[in-house]
């Protein structure tokens, strides 16, 4: 079973659907990255999306086949943090991500569904403490079939 084609399709969808100037980071920025995070013309932090892919778990009864585990469907999750210099900008970016992904079928696998998440976090701690940022978390789940060699 391979999750990477499913994951790559989600990243490609975001790059295709969001504004070209919105950075989309797979796994987040490294420690000390405040210096590389872009700024808007007014000096505020450039909104960006952090993406964390999880593994997969058994999809449960109804998703198994007589072919065994290698032919069974799996449930996988992906978590996004839509980050902006204000809560409104973080929510706006979160709404763009949601619009891009609800109903999307990555790599011809199962349709993505939004999963529950808590509210906006304020502020996200930074390594230098110079930039205040808010995060709007979203989590999606989707079924991935293990039929790909």
């Amino acid at each position: 079973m391979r999750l990477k084609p499913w994951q790559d399709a989600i990243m490609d969808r975001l790059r295709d659907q969001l504004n070209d100037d919105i950075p989309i980071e797979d796994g987040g920025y490294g420690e000390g990255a405040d210096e590389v995070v872009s700024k808007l013309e007014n000096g505020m932090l450039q909104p960006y999306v952090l993406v964390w892919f999880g593994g997969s778990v058994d999809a449960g009864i109804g998703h198994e086949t007589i072919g065994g585990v290698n032919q069974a469907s799996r449930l996988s999750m992906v978590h996004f943090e839509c980050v902006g210099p204000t809560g409104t900008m973080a929510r706006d970016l979160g709404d763009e991500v949601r619009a891009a992904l609800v109903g999307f079928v990555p790599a011809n696998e199962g349709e993505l569904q939004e999963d529950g998440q808590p509210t906006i976090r304020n502020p996200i701690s930074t390594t230098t403490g110079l930039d205040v940022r808010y995060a709007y978390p979203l989590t999606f789940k989707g079924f991935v079939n293990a039929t790909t060699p």
Side-chain angles (χ1 to χ4, degrees):
M1 176 179 143
R2 296 176 53 87
L3 287 176
K4 189 151 185 336
W6 183 80
Q7 295 166 343
D8 288 346
I10 292 169
M11 293 295 288
D12 290 344
R13 174 73 172 198
L14 286 178
R15 289 185 191 107
D16 181 59
Q17 297 290 308
L18 299 182
N19 285 332
D20 289 338
D21 60 342
I22 301 291
I24 302 166
E25 297 295 325
D26 186 355
Y29 284 110
E31 187 68 22
D34 281 356
E35 297 79 25
V36 301
V37 175
S38 299
K39 302 287 173 83
L40 299 172
E41 288 181 13
N42 62 7
M44 295 174 81
L45 182 82
Q46 165 71 44
Y48 58 91
V49 179
L50 301 178
V51 183
W52 285 281
F53 291 100
S56 67
V57 296
D58 182 5
I61 291 222
H63 296 284
E64 297 178 5
T65 71
I66 60 172
V69 173
N70 287 335
Q71 299 299 316
S73 293
R74 308 280 294 170
L75 178 65
S76 190
M77 307 288 275
V78 55
H79 177 82
F80 303 93
E81 286 204 8
C82 305
V83 181
T86 68
T88 299
M89 290 177 86
R91 281 189 298 113
D92 288 346
L93 183 53
D95 206 41
E96 288 183 46
V97 169
R98 179 182 293 107
L101 295 179
V102 167
F104 176 57
V105 179
N108 294 318
E109 300 286 358
E111 180 179 322
L112 288 181
Q113 298 174 340
E114 187 174 358
D115 202 39
Q117 274 303 311
T119 188
I120 289 178
R121 291 182 12 200
N122 165 34
I124 296 175
S125 60
T126 64
T127 53
T128 63
L130 298 177
D131 297 312
V132 173
R133 59 190 82 179
Y134 296 76
Y136 185 79
L138 294 168
T139 298
F140 282 79
K141 63 184 175 183
F143 291 98
V144 181
N145 294 318
T147 57
T148 309

